[in-house]
Amino acid sequence: MYPDTTASITDTMHTLAYIGDLSMGQPTEHSLRTAWLAARIAEAAGHAGDHCAAVQQVALLRWSGCTANAPEFSALIGDDVGMRARMLSQKNDPAFMQSAEAVFREIYQLSEIHCEVSGEIAAMLGVSADVERALRSIFSTYDGAGPSHLRDGPVPDSVYVVALASDIEILGREQGVARALDVIAHKSGKAYPAALVAIAVQHAATWLEQLERDEDWQAALDFEACTRSSAVPLELLADVIDLKLPWMTGYSRRVAQVACNAAGVMGLDTDTQLRCYRAALVHGIGRAAVPNNVWNTSGKLSAGAREQLQLAPYWTSRAAARSGALGAAADIGSYASERLNGSGAFRACTHTAIPLDGKIIAAATAWVALQSMRPWRAAMTADQARATLEAEVANGRFDVNAVRAVSGAAHTSAEAVENILLTQREAEIFRHISLGLTNKEVARELAISPSTVRTHVENVFRKLGCNTRAAATLKASTLRLL
């Protein structure tokens, strides 16, 4: 069975902001600082109450769709994380501009994926309609030149407030206040209204100084106002994390169920089973910091690429300090790559230093990964995966009891869910599409025509109310249709 586990709106938004900052190559306080600046701009513009809370929510959720279009970014320019960071810094050096041209040519498609997923996340969080609308049009510009995906009505003002706040935060930090205001002035009347630019000119230096001087600035942030719910399923975070790599669709959920069941097989109490489940759902937070072209590499990795991969669990552990009540889950989840003989990442700790929950997570992630398709290999059978892990146990890398438990618990890892929304064929076809396969590849796999695949995929999109693969995958995962 699936454990009943939720997270608070505040903790979820903080964690989504953290994942977004990693995806954009930003310091992990970027979205929080932007939220604080956005509230100051809104106040200076004469707004208060719900409007100030709304701009803070938009700032925190602004990059929540980043994992969704990472595959497309990577296909265009390779390093999706580094390219996004350079685009935000607005340093137009020749080398950057040459690489960025490919992104600019596809900016509408990239922004559509991002905005649709951000909007779906907003709807699942139960935020106000204005916040959801803002996220669905987050790349809109005041002069109308930027990509907008709203079907009707004006773009919410919070889009421009947050865009300005983000520019103040990034440019002020990277290039200094004077240069930041110069760039912002050139965007006046284009990216955001001139009236907001005047506010920035008057207050930006003082605000940035206050952010650096005042250690309690986060106390002024309010993320729970303007929401219709007080808690959301923790699985939402798992699904957002897994969107970064199509071949990982549903991976964190499967690991969570295996880890939870394994804890039960080992005779551990229900609290420990729940801890394992929650930790497994968020163990992949740090994957957002690593470019997709590194994850997709087959064969030997460079030393730099190996270092990036080894730091992924480090970034998960760092989330523990930013995620409130989710911190304990993130901390345990960060042991997923540790090995008993000290050969793992990132702590390289040994048997006695790894908590039992961490040993279970490590075994569960490996068990599920071995039986999942990867770009460089086919999925193993259960027997092959078991033999591989038993060899790893013999080499002193995995806990023998944890490996026996995950391989023994796997057959009862999930409940069957009645799918009343999609037909069996639609679900089967879209399950392949969600893993990143093209229509032609699915047709070849299932021995049907590409036109048949296309028809079924269009039906799935229509039934789910989505226009992009990423958004449909997120919604189907949330509804447990995959």
Side-chain angles (χ1 to χ4, degrees):
M1 60 179 292
Y2 292 97
D4 180 15
T5 180
T6 58
S8 73
I9 290 290
T10 295
D11 290 347
T12 302
M13 288 188 179
H14 272 260
T15 307
L16 286 169
Y18 182 88
I19 294 169
D21 289 344
L22 293 180
S23 299
M24 299 299 291
Q26 295 302 303
T28 54
E29 283 190 344
H30 162 64
S31 290
L32 288 171
R33 287 163 62 96
T34 298
W36 187 89
L37 288 165
R40 303 292 79 74
I41 295 170
E43 289 170 352
H47 299 290
D50 286 353
H51 191 278
C52 288
V55 298
Q56 292 175 70
Q57 291 181 349
V58 173
L60 244 67
L61 299 175
R62 185 188 189 205
W63 303 134
S64 59
C66 284
T67 56
N69 64 9
E72 287 74 17
F73 253 101
S74 183
L76 287 171
I77 43 80
D79 184 352
D80 52 293
V81 178
M83 172 57 75
R84 285 164 164 163
R86 296 181 73 180
M87 291 178 71
L88 290 180
S89 69
Q90 301 179 43
K91 294 179 181 178
N92 298 330
D93 58 90
F96 164 75
M97 290 306 295
Q98 185 175 4
S99 299
E101 285 181 2
V103 175
F104 295 147
R105 285 196 299 269
E106 303 294 335
I107 194 65
Y108 187 89
Q109 179 197 7
L110 293 170
S111 63
E112 181 184 25
I113 296 169
H114 181 119
C115 290
E116 185 172 27
V117 168
S118 295
E120 291 298 331
I121 292 171
M124 294 173 193
L125 292 176
V127 299
S128 70
D130 282 347
V131 171
E132 181 180 337
R133 282 179 60 80
L135 293 167
R136 291 187 184 276
S137 55
I138 201 65
F139 297 107
S140 298
T141 55
Y142 184 65
D143 62 2
S148 180
H149 306 285
L150 289 180
R151 301 292 179 259
D152 57 352
V155 174
D157 291 342
S158 56
V159 170
Y160 312 128
V161 172
V162 171
L164 177 58
S166 179
D167 281 351
I168 293 173
E169 200 286 319
I170 295 173
L171 300 177
R173 165 168 40 85
E174 293 193 359
Q175 304 182 38
V177 178
R179 174 58 181 159
L181 291 178
D182 184 49
V183 174
I184 288 168
H186 280 87
K187 297 169 73 173
S188 178
K190 300 174 184 176
Y192 19 70
L196 294 183
V197 173
I199 291 173
V201 170
Q202 182 178 358
H203 297 289
T206 301
W207 287 337
L208 289 173
E209 181 182 356
Q210 186 176 348
L211 276 173
E212 296 303 322
R213 184 182 68 246
D214 182 7
E215 295 183 358
D216 297 324
W217 58 269
Q218 293 190 42
L221 298 174
D222 176 16
F223 305 121
E224 294 206 16
C226 309
T227 59
R228 298 188 299 275
S229 61
S230 59
V232 292
L234 187 53
E235 288 85 356
L236 173 61
L237 283 176
D239 297 336
V240 171
I241 291 166
D242 289 351
L243 281 178
K244 179 172 172 64
L245 295 158
W247 43 268
M248 276 198 167
T249 297
Y251 173 71
S252 296
R253 283 181 182 254
R254 293 195 297 275
V255 172
Q257 199 61 58
V258 169
C260 177
N261 287 351
V265 169
M266 294 173 71
L268 302 176
D269 58 45
T270 54
D271 286 345
T272 303
Q273 294 173 41
L274 182 59
R275 278 202 311 274
C276 288
Y277 184 82
R278 291 170 66 87
L281 287 175
V282 299
H283 83 275
I285 286 174
R287 289 203 299 267
V290 182
N292 274 28
N293 60 334
V294 173
W295 290 112
N296 290 326
T297 300
S298 59
K300 186 176 181 179
L301 293 169
S302 68
R306 289 197 301 273
E307 178 72 10
Q308 286 180 299
L309 291 178
Q310 289 169 354
L311 285 175
Y314 163 77
W315 289 113
T316 298
S317 75
R318 284 285 305 276
R322 306 292 175 86
S323 304
L326 292 177
D331 182 62
I332 295 170
S334 69
Y335 283 90
S337 298
E338 300 293 349
R339 299 296 179 256
L340 303 192
N341 61 0
S343 63
F346 67 102
R347 301 174 183 85
C349 53
T350 55
H351 196 300
T352 56
I354 303 174
L356 179 57
D357 309 34
K359 295 172 184 176
I360 294 171
I361 298 299
T365 55
W367 172 256
V368 176
L370 289 171
Q371 295 178 83
S372 303
M373 178 189 70
R374 295 293 181 255
W376 55 88
R377 63 161 175 80
M380 291 186 182
T381 65
D383 287 341
Q384 290 171 328
R386 186 177 294 105
T388 299
L389 286 186
E390 287 174 352
E392 293 284 88
V393 168
N395 289 328
R397 288 168 56 81
F398 286 98
D399 180 83
V400 61
N401 294 321
V403 166
R404 288 173 179 170
V406 299
S407 60
H411 297 296
T412 57
S413 62
E415 286 181 335
V417 179
E418 184 181 1
N419 185 350
I420 59 174
L421 184 60
L422 305 180
T423 67
Q424 183 176 354
R425 195 57 157 169
E426 288 169 348
E428 178 186 29
I429 288 173
F430 191 69
R431 190 174 297 112
H432 286 77
I433 292 293
S434 73
L435 293 172
L437 275 66
T438 65
N439 286 2
K440 288 184 178 179
E441 289 170 333
V442 176
R444 198 160 48 242
E445 179 79 15
L446 301 180
I448 56 179
S449 71
S451 61
T452 299
V453 173
R454 184 173 62 253
T455 298
H456 283 302
V457 171
E458 289 173 352
N459 287 340
V460 172
F461 278 27
R462 176 179 53 79
K463 289 180 177 181
L464 295 177
C466 297
N467 297 309
T468 64
R469 179 203 60 81
T473 298
L474 177 64
K475 185 172 282 189
S477 296
T478 301
L479 296 173
R480 292 175 173 160
L481 302 179
L482 296 177

